[in-house]
Amino acid sequence: MLRKEVLIKEKTEQAVNILKEAGVDCWITFTRESEICGDPTLVFLAPSHVTWHSAFIISSDGRKKAIVGLYDKRAIEDSGAYDSVDSYVTGIKEPFEHYMKELQPRTIAINYSKTSEISDGLTHGLYLVLYELLQEIGFENRLVSAEKIISALRQRKSPSELQAIKAAITETENIFQLVKKFIAPGKTEKQIADFMLNEVRQRHLATAWGESTCPAVFTGPETAQAHYFPTDRQVKPGHLLNMDFGIKVDGYCSDLQRTFYIMEKGEKGAPPEVKKGFETITKTIEEARKAMKPGVKGLVIDELARRIVTEAGYEEFPHALGHQVGRFAHDGTALLGPAWEKYADKPFQPLEPGMVFTLEPRLTVPGRGVATIEDMVLVTETGAEFLDHPQTELMLIK
Amino acid sequence: MLRKEVLIKEKTEQAVNILKEAGVDCWITFTRESEICGDPTLVFLAPSHVTWHSAFIISSDGRKKAIVGLYDKRAIEDSGAYDSVDSYVTGIKEPFEHYMKELQPRTIAINYSKTSEISDGLTHGLYLVLYELLQEIGFENRLVSAEKIISALRQRKSPSELQAIKAAITETENIFQLVKKFIAPGKTEKQIADFMLNEVRQRHLATAWGESTCPAVFTGPETAQAHYFPTDRQVKPGHLLNMDFGIKVDGYCSDLQRTFYIMEKGEKGAPPEVKKGFETITKTIEEARKAMKPGVKGLVIDELARRIVTEAGYEEFPHALGHQVGRFAHDGTALLGPAWEKYADKPFQPLEPGMVFTLEPRLTVPGRGVATIEDMVLVTETGAEFLDHPQTELMLIK
């Protein structure tokens, strides 16, 4: 089990090195009532939520300081990650300005980004509060975005983070094996989803995203326009069924998709057009994985995958080939995606060792449904390796 | 059970009226990947999380529009709350700017606030994105804070919201009754907390805030400096024990505190100094409740309560007398608090019918521990009434 204290020490140490690498003097995570509208970075810095204005200040010279409301002090101190924890009763202004004047940083990174949501945890109102505090001591022009720092911190997975992700994958694969025996003609998408959720609960685990769409279960051809919630639509012979499912273990997620074919009477396997669709997907994933290595941009991998699908005669998938996975099913900044407006700079970020990505091409087999697989890979020093047991055979249901 | 669709219809309708009242033409909730860093207002506008840039646009003329990524469209449409839902694949810019030009609002409220965290759901990076979109069509100077709109929306509890809060209170009170029989000398704070968490799980409910501090259990005199997590400290005769605990039902919270006295051998009740401390708390709560009514500022109630405690010879409590409760244990903008820096404008907001507040004075009885009660009250047209069964007697443990 991943202990919070271990993670916080690991990550605050890593942050010091990233600050040095980026040439940034100090990084402030500034938050309040984090249970209401929390900064997604806080979990690497504190063992629990904070109530009042709180500043977690890490410097490239190795100093680590937290300034929090009185009742949050002890929990932050107990984490053992900070050199000192200051607390206050009436307001953060005095201790915060005092420490910043002592620190005299030339650059101050704060948690906002136009394009990377995991780096965009500072709310606009709190930004204004922080700006005014720094203005009072003449530091307001030293602010820069912490996007590169937070992205590196999240994407360079530590051994304990990878262990939690692998555990989440194993649980997910186990439930896929069980549900394979449950799926049968006549069963509804909802029944299948309920069966899986029940398995999650029996294991005292949580789903990787909201239960209303985890698992997402889609059966048959009319699901080409994906509807997120499982419906009362029944499983029918001759149709494809696919599901998107993930589990969270010790705060880390899996995110996997699998495709099943429901055989018609007398069939011994899937018909040729279904096979072709499925094999196009497995080929796309394998070619994409082989092309991944540090330094390559996500855009290039997405393009390669997209071309295999369209050259096989299918419409291109209306989403990115793959995203990073970590504390959220959708995590990190770098993306294996096309240069679309909504993806902003993400597809242009180079891959780095320690990143965990999904590979999830999708295509429609007319009259049958959607063929799609989502596997998970880890970027290594020289390439990329599967973290799950990739689906290589269509799962056939009688 | 509170259905999401009912809540969303109730709240989007209420929003139209609040916009009219405030003289604001339109209100935009702008968010993305809401599971990662979500706007706390989204839950009133959408039945589930959204993935891509999404705009929920409500106008004072009654028009309700949502613009979301393709895969989120169906779920938002199904809520039945919007006149129309537009979707996109590559980016929100075109449909968003098109609709805003059609709408021609003179004022555009967006979700940021320096002082109210529940109104501060727009991240700084997304603020910059939205600002640039509006700048392209010349609307960037029409932006105002939606603090007053969101505060009114959250604090004017609808009948279905009140019903959920009352259900949460009942569950909490039931568990307090059970744990009263469990508490005994020698039991540790952790054991008591585990007993209560087990009751929560057996009921398939969730705690109102993070389980590591819900319940918070404090026993004995060395807890005067509150430590948030339950420890291995044992319950001892002659000590006060108090706990802070809440349950979430259908997305709505309770937040209650109760105080117990552990009798020494031969005692038939609490000693005089413990009684005096406890009675000071019950008197403070009752006087505060009687003074509450629409129009009165929270500051006034806090001052009155603080004075009763200090005039009885105790130190003043280092926190506000009470906060609002709703979807979070700490909810709403208006606060029954002192004029401290960290509370900003909140204590100066007048009370309104439909607000739900806690009343939670606290004091230390030297050598015994902390006496504190947290009850919950509803502001009505003419005053305030208890929602829980207020603790009027010290719970005595043999």
Side-chain angles (χ1 to χ4, degrees), chain B residues 163-179 196 199-208 245-250 252-256 387-389:
Chain B
Q163 207 184 333
I165 290 173
K166 283 180 189 167
I169 288 173
T170 301
E171 298 285 357
T172 311
E173 290 182 332
N174 289 345
I175 295 177
F176 275 135
Q177 285 309 315
L178 289 174
V179 77
M196 294 167 79
E199 291 295 327
V200 175
R201 289 189 199 116
Q202 278 187 12
R203 287 164 173 75
H204 299 283
L205 294 170
T207 52
F245 182 47
I247 297 275
K248 196 174 273 192
V249 172
D250 289 340
Y252 285 80
C253 295
S254 62
D255 184 2
L256 298 172
L387 288 172
D388 65 332
H389 298 85

Side-chain angles (χ1 to χ4, degrees), chain B residues 43-343:
Chain B
V43 78
F44 300 115
L45 302 172
S48 54
H49 281 292
V50 292
T51 304
W52 300 277
H53 295 81
S54 303
F56 299 88
I57 309 168
I58 298 181
S59 305
S60 59
D61 64 9
R63 275 184 280 181
K64 304 192 199 83
K65 173 79 147 194
I67 307 173
V68 297
L70 176 65
Y71 286 175
D72 290 328
K73 181 178 182 182
R74 191 81 161 261
I76 306 296
E77 272 180 348
D78 285 353
S79 77
Y82 295 88
D83 311 325
S84 78
V85 182
D86 290 353
S87 71
Y88 65 86
V89 169
T90 60
I92 199 170
K93 187 174 131 79
E94 193 280 326
F96 177 73
E97 292 182 358
H98 178 86
Y99 182 67
M100 292 308 289
K101 280 194 279 193
E102 183 186 311
L103 201 63
Q104 288 288 335
R106 288 161 303 174
T107 43
I108 303 168
I110 57 173
N111 302 359
Y112 78 93
S113 164
K114 286 200 284 184
T115 57
S116 161
E117 53 278 343
I118 54 112
S119 312
D120 194 31
L122 181 67
T123 57
H124 182 56
L126 267 187
Y127 166 81
L128 297 174
V129 170
L130 180 61
Y131 187 90
E132 284 171 16
L133 287 172
L134 292 171
Q135 201 171 30
E136 289 182 25
I137 53 173
F139 284 9
E140 77 278 14
N141 293 325
R142 305 181 187 192
L143 291 170
V144 296
S145 162
E147 179 184 322
K148 287 205 182 324
I149 292 152
I150 296 171
S151 297
L153 193 73
R154 286 192 94 96
Q155 72 203 14
R156 297 178 191 174
K157 300 286 190 295
S158 69
S160 59
E161 289 181 295
L162 275 177
Q163 207 184 333
I165 290 173
K166 283 180 189 167
I169 288 173
T170 301
E171 298 285 357
T172 311
E173 290 182 332
N174 289 345
I175 295 177
F176 275 135
Q177 285 309 315
L178 289 174
V179 77
K180 190 184 160 188
K181 292 171 206 149
F182 180 81
I183 299 169
K187 291 263 166 55
T188 68
E189 290 175 356
K190 269 189 196 160
Q191 286 171 332
I192 294 167
D194 285 345
F195 173 89
M196 294 167 79
L197 281 177
N198 190 42
E199 291 295 327
V200 175
R201 289 189 199 116
Q202 278 187 12
R203 287 164 173 75
H204 299 283
L205 294 170
T207 52
W209 57 94
E211 286 194 0
S212 59
T213 57
C214 187
V217 181
F218 307 107
T219 186
E222 59 276 34
T223 59
Q225 282 291 331
H227 186 314
Y228 257 178
F229 302 104
T231 69
D232 291 321
R233 199 162 26 219
Q234 290 181 342
V235 171
K236 282 189 189 144
H239 285 177
L240 282 163
L241 180 151
N242 65 78
M243 43 178 78
D244 189 354
F245 182 47
I247 297 275
K248 196 174 273 192
V249 172
D250 289 340
Y252 285 80
C253 295
S254 62
D255 184 2
L256 298 172
Q257 293 179 48
R258 293 293 180 257
T259 294
F260 305 76
Y261 174 71
I262 294 76
M263 288 193 287
E264 301 198 73
K265 249 188 192 161
E267 273 187 328
K268 291 190 172 161
E273 77 272 22
V274 169
K275 270 191 192 163
K276 185 194 159 195
F278 183 80
E279 281 160 14
T280 302
I281 292 295
T282 55
K283 183 184 163 196
T284 305
I285 289 177
E286 182 55 13
E287 293 299 319
R289 185 191 67 81
K290 285 198 299 195
M292 290 173 74
K293 61 180 178 188
V296 175
K297 287 176 183 168
L299 185 77
V300 175
I301 309 299
D302 177 88
E303 206 173 286
L304 173 157
R306 205 166 285 276
R307 203 168 49 235
I308 297 173
V309 171
T310 53
E311 283 181 357
Y314 302 97
E315 260 188 71
E316 63 175 314
F317 37 93
H319 52 70
L321 172 68
H323 53 79
Q324 291 185 67
V325 183
R327 298 197 71 95
F328 300 99
H330 293 185
D331 204 294
T333 303
L335 182 81
L336 309 177
W340 292 346
E341 176 199 333
K342 70 180 176 187
Y343 296 138

Side-chain angles (χ1 to χ4, degrees), chain A residues 225-257:
Chain A
Q225 281 291 331
H227 186 313
Y228 256 178
F229 303 104
T231 69
D232 290 322
R233 198 162 27 218
Q234 289 180 342
V235 172
K236 281 189 188 145
H239 285 177
L240 281 164
L241 180 150
N242 65 77
M243 43 179 79
D244 189 355
F245 181 48
I247 298 275
K248 195 175 275 194
V249 172
D250 289 340
Y252 285 79
C253 295
S254 62
D255 184 2
L256 299 172
Q257 293 180 47

Side-chain angles (χ1 to χ4, degrees), chain A residues 155-314:
Chain A
Q155 72 203 14
R156 298 179 191 174
K157 299 288 191 293
S158 70
S160 60
E161 289 180 294
L162 275 177
Q163 206 184 334
I165 290 173
K166 283 179 189 168
I169 288 173
T170 301
E171 298 285 357
T172 311
E173 289 183 331
N174 288 346
I175 295 177
F176 275 136
Q177 285 310 317
L178 288 174
V179 77
K180 191 185 159 188
K181 292 171 205 151
F182 180 81
I183 298 169
K187 291 264 164 58
T188 68
E189 292 175 354
K190 268 187 196 162
Q191 286 170 334
I192 294 167
D194 286 345
F195 172 88
M196 294 168 78
L197 280 177
N198 191 41
E199 292 294 328
V200 175
R201 288 189 200 117
Q202 277 188 12
R203 288 164 173 74
H204 299 284
L205 293 170
T207 52
W209 59 93
E211 287 194 0
S212 59
T213 58
C214 186
V217 181
F218 307 108
T219 186
E222 59 277 31
T223 59
Q225 281 291 331
H227 186 313
Y228 256 178
F229 303 104
T231 69
D232 290 322
R233 198 162 27 218
Q234 289 180 342
V235 172
K236 281 189 188 145
H239 285 177
L240 281 164
L241 180 150
N242 65 77
M243 43 179 79
D244 189 355
F245 181 48
I247 298 275
K248 195 175 275 194
V249 172
D250 289 340
Y252 285 79
C253 295
S254 62
D255 184 2
L256 299 172
Q257 293 180 47
R258 293 293 180 257
T259 293
F260 305 76
Y261 174 71
I262 295 77
M263 289 192 287
E264 299 199 74
K265 249 188 192 161
E267 275 187 327
K268 290 190 176 163
E273 77 272 24
V274 169
K275 270 191 191 160
K276 184 193 158 196
F278 182 81
E279 282 160 12
T280 302
I281 293 296
T282 55
K283 184 184 164 199
T284 305
I285 289 177
E286 183 53 13
E287 293 299 320
R289 184 191 67 80
K290 286 197 299 196
M292 290 173 75
K293 61 179 179 189
V296 175
K297 287 177 182 168
L299 185 76
V300 175
I301 309 299
D302 178 87
E303 207 173 285
L304 173 157
R306 205 168 285 277
R307 203 169 49 236
I308 297 173
V309 171
T310 53
E311 282 180 357
Y314 301 97

Side-chain angles (χ1 to χ4, degrees), chain A residues 100-156:
Chain A
M100 292 307 289
K101 279 194 280 192
E102 185 187 310
L103 202 62
Q104 289 288 334
R106 288 160 304 174
T107 43
I108 303 167
I110 57 172
N111 302 358
Y112 78 94
S113 164
K114 286 201 283 185
T115 57
S116 163
E117 52 279 341
I118 54 113
S119 313
D120 194 32
L122 181 67
T123 57
H124 182 56
L126 267 188
Y127 165 82
L128 297 174
V129 170
L130 180 60
Y131 187 90
E132 285 171 16
L133 287 173
L134 292 171
Q135 201 171 30
E136 289 182 26
I137 53 171
F139 286 7
E140 77 277 16
N141 293 326
R142 306 183 185 190
L143 291 171
V144 296
S145 162
E147 180 185 321
K148 287 206 184 318
I149 292 152
I150 295 172
S151 297
L153 193 72
R154 287 192 93 97
Q155 72 203 14
R156 298 179 191 174

